Structure formats: C-alpha cells, structure tokens
Amino acid sequence: MKDGHHRNFCAWVLLVAAACLALGQNCAGPPPSNVPVATACGLHAAHCVEVAGKSPIALAGGDFNGDGHSDVAAANFGTDNVELFFNDGAGALLPGGRYKVGDSPGAIVAADFNADGRLDLAASDGLGIAILINGGDGTFASAVHVVLDKSINAFPVSITAADLDGDGDVDLAASAIGWTIDFQTFISENIDNVGVLLNDGAGAFSLAETVRFDHPHPRLWDITAGDVDGDGRTDIVVDQSTGLVNFLLNRGGGSFENAFSITLGEEHDLSDVRLVDLDGDGKLDLVVADNGDPLDLDDAGGGVAIFRNRGGGRFEQIVFVVGGDTPTSIAVGDYDADGRPDVAIAHNRSDDVMILFNQGPNTFAATQRFPVGDGPTSVMAADFNGDGRLDLAVAHMISGAVGLHFNDGTGCFTCNR
C-alpha cells in the first residue's frame, strides 16, 4: 500500500497481478507483520485484534452468531480466506474461525441470501464470487463458488448486494477486470465489466448479465447499488480510474443499461463510492473518494466529492473536501447523533481516518481526523460496545490487524483515549 501508488499498474494480465492492481497492492504481495498487536491499529484504538490470516483488506459487519452484538468478517487477501471475529458484548473481538475461499479475496459483503433471517457472506475470489451460508450459530458452510463471465476472464474487484430484479431476494453485482487473449497472435484485449448475479431465493446465484466497458486498460473499481432515478428499481453505480462514475440504470428484471456518467477530472483515480440520502429529501446522493491524477505532480488528490441528487438521475457536485493521502474506504453513519448521516474516510498512505460531519443542507465540515495503524484498507461502522453510538472498525493489511475505535457520542474517536 505505502510502497507504491494506490493503483499500481503492473503486469495486470496475470491473475494475481490483476488483484494487486484492483486492490491497490504492491505486486510483491503483502509483507509479513512484525508489528506488536498493541500498536498495529494505532494508539487510539480501543481494541486491536491480530488477524491470523495476516492480510485483512476488506471488512463486513453484522450479528453473525445471533447473540445481538455486532461482529466482523474480514477478507484476507494474501491467505485466500474469510475470517470471523465475534464481539464479546463489551467491544472486544474474539476469533471466530476461518473459511477457505478462492484466490486473493479483496471484497466482502454481508446479507441474508437464503431468507432464513441469518446474515450470510459473499467474497470476491479468483474469477468469481464465494458464497458462504450461515448455519445459525456463527459457523458457515463451505464456500460455493459462482463464476463470472468466462469468455472474458472476469476478475471481480468489488461487490455489492441488493435486490436487482425486484423479486424480494438479495442479488449481487460485481465490478470486474476482464480480458481476452488471442493465442495465435498473443494479443490481449481489456474488457472491464459489471456482472449481475441473480439469487434463486435459496441462496444459489447465477450470472444473468454482463455489462461491458471497452477500455484500453482495466479501469473499473468500486461498486454500489441504489435507486438513483426514483423509478422504484435498484440501479448500479461503479467508479473507475479515469475519473468517471458510471450509472447503470435498471430496466427491469435485473437488466441494466450503461446510461450515463459524471466526471471528477480526467484520469483521476477514484476508489470508493457510496449512495446515501445526505440532505433528507428522499433521494440518494453520491459520495466518491478521489485520489487525483497519479501522473500529475500538481494534483495531489486526497479528497472526497459529494454530489447532490437533483432527481431523475441528475447529480450536482456540491462540495469537495481535501483530506489525507490516498482515500481508500468510506463508511457512512450518524457519528455525532444529530440525525444527519456523516462520512468517515480511511486514508491508506497517511494512516488516518477523517470524519466529515454533515451540518445541514449541503454543508460539511472535516473537524475530526485521527491517526490509526499502518496502511488502513477498509473502514466500517457499527455499535461495537453496545452504548447506542456508532463506532468504527478499521482493517490494516500491512500490520495484519483490525482495530476498533469507540465513539464518545459526539463523533470523537480519540476522546478518553
């Protein structure tokens, strides 16, 4: 993470190299952790747990064992598994087991896929998605692998869970790097794509559609879903490293059209993207992490752009807040308990998390920024200590740890630490 730019273009035609590119890693793979667990998450962490997999790159949260407490699942990029951590109720994470998935898992989501009231997991791996069904007591069945488009060797970068075909089941969509190779001429063609995987209602998925993006280089990154045009159907939003945010509108039945895009700057390196109603008008607004142009020495990037949804799929940028170096992950939640959703951003190269407080109509202030451990790769929000306040969990791939940062109720994560 810190020994190369967030999007390091190197030997992408190889599967593992493509994973490095997609997830912002140096292609040598994650270095071993020799940092004591007490400091691996930074001095302000209320709790820090060492990850046996040593390479937690993405987090998902929820009550996985049915005890009423918020737990954590980590995708371990370097050890090809998903690791569970159970909350003891006071905000300490205890090891909950590891589950083998495919190559280089880099994204993970939690949702109830088989409608049994229990949170299941889906993680990107190899050329598809690994589905892990919850047995009810916090144990999971062996992963079932769902392959994306074989004709273009689609390698998933990011995944999102939502009802995409309107049948009430939770489906999946994955942004992916893809390529074809002509073995007679040895000419390779890059085909970025979004794969739509529909759920049969029992937690079995099948690839229903592949929406292709023709680019000379692999460029799609993070993906999210929500109704952006107000027609009652769930749309898909995916960003890319050319500064574009692409909107795939749902035409019904899980069929999507690459309808339009908005730009943050030519060749800007975008990372995370979120949809949330920030101004309370009932329309989903857009939050995007922007790393700037990696080839422009005068464009340091390191900012968060917020777009207001004007209705009908029309978006207007209302604010750009400069923060730390290499914003990697976004977590939205009401951190200061004022009834308005705020934004937390993890900065991978400056080793900190910034809280962007929502102060009313189209007004935001970055009044809290605190250091965390080495190279944060993912941040997620949940109430970990049961006090009714949203806390933060931060994954550190380099130091091989997950840290919990408790909220004092005002949005301060360093107070009393």
Side-chain angles (χ1 to χ4, degrees):
M1 283 289 186
K2 300 183 72 177
D3 48 357
H5 192 270
H6 181 57
R7 304 298 187 195
N8 185 2
F9 289 97
C10 56
W12 64 270
V13 294
L14 298 176
L15 183 61
V16 174
C20 297
L21 169 65
L23 302 168
Q25 306 305 308
N26 180 282
C27 289
S33 171
N34 57 4
V35 182
V37 70
T39 58
C41 304
L43 297 178
H44 294 293
H47 178 71
C48 188
V49 59
E50 189 172 13
V51 178
K54 294 296 184 185
S55 52
I57 191 168
L59 300 178
D63 181 9
F64 297 117
N65 58 359
D67 64 357
H69 307 308
S70 297
D71 308 310
V72 174
N76 287 316
F77 177 82
T79 51
D80 301 340
N81 60 32
V82 167
E83 191 163 353
L84 272 293
F85 298 95
F86 295 139
N87 189 337
D88 69 354
L93 297 179
L94 306 176
R98 297 188 302 277
Y99 297 86
K100 188 70 175 177
V101 293
D103 294 333
S104 307
I108 187 169
V109 294
D112 182 6
F113 296 129
N114 58 356
D116 64 356
R118 306 160 182 166
L119 280 179
D120 309 304
L121 292 168
S124 63
D125 70 340
L127 294 176
I129 307 294
I131 309 297
L132 296 98
I133 299 298
N134 192 337
D137 57 355
T139 62
F140 289 76
S142 297
V144 175
H145 187 75
V146 184
V147 179
L148 297 184
D149 195 328
K150 295 180 181 179
S151 68
I152 52 175
N153 300 303
F155 182 93
V157 177
S158 177
I159 52 178
T160 190
D163 181 6
L164 300 176
D165 57 1
D167 65 355
D169 304 320
V170 180
D171 308 303
L172 294 169
S175 57
I177 293 170
W179 64 88
T180 59
I181 299 176
D182 186 329
F183 288 100
Q184 292 183 334
T185 62
F186 293 100
I187 295 176
S188 175
E189 179 185 6
N190 300 334
I191 307 174
D192 282 8
N193 61 92
V194 168
V196 178
L197 296 92
L198 298 183
N199 187 346
D200 69 352
F205 291 83
S206 58
L207 181 67
E209 182 181 21
T210 299
V211 182
R212 298 190 179 194
F213 295 76
D214 294 325
H215 297 304
H217 303 289
R219 299 183 175 189
L220 290 188
W221 302 126
D222 290 276
I223 191 169
T224 191
D227 181 7
V228 299
D229 56 0
D231 66 355
R233 296 189 288 257
T234 302
D235 308 303
I236 294 173
V237 179
V238 58
D239 62 12
Q240 62 187 73
S241 65
T242 52
L244 292 178
V245 180
N246 304 286
F247 292 80
L248 280 62
L249 297 184
N250 192 332
R251 297 312 184 193
S255 176
F256 291 83
E257 174 191 359
N258 188 6
F260 65 94
S261 61
I262 57 178
T263 182
L264 277 76
E266 187 176 355
E267 300 302 326
H268 274 218
D269 189 357
L270 309 182
S271 49
D272 207 357
V273 59
R274 302 286 169 157
L275 288 169
V276 60
D277 182 6
L278 294 171
D279 53 10
D281 65 354
K283 296 186 283 287
L284 291 177
D285 306 305
L286 182 71
V287 184
V288 185
D290 182 3
N291 293 273
D293 185 347
L295 302 180
D296 185 352
L297 297 179
D298 296 325
D299 189 349
V304 176
I306 295 177
F307 291 79
R308 180 186 178 190
N309 189 338
R310 305 285 297 186
R314 295 178 296 114
F315 287 82
E316 172 191 14
Q317 184 170 335
I318 57 173
V319 68
F320 186 90
V321 180
V322 176
D325 193 350
T326 314
T328 302
S329 178
I330 296 171
V332 177
D334 183 6
Y335 300 118
D336 55 2
D338 66 354
R340 295 185 291 259
D342 309 304
V343 180
I345 309 100
H347 298 112
N348 177 256
R349 293 186 59 155
S350 53
D351 301 336
D352 60 60
V353 171
M354 180 178 71
I355 310 297
L356 192 60
F357 291 105
N358 188 341
Q359 297 185 317
N362 308 320
T363 305
F364 294 84
T367 57
Q368 168 78 263
R369 184 174 164 191
F370 60 94
V372 294
D374 196 15
T377 53
S378 181
V379 60
M380 58 158 283
D383 178 9
F384 290 108
N385 57 358
D387 63 359
R389 304 159 180 167
L390 274 182
D391 309 306
L392 293 173
V394 181
H396 301 87
M397 182 173 176
I398 292 177
S399 58
V402 174
L404 298 185
H405 300 263
F406 293 160
N407 187 349
D408 75 340
T410 69
C412 179
F413 294 86
T414 60
C415 298
N416 303 318
R417 293 297 305 163

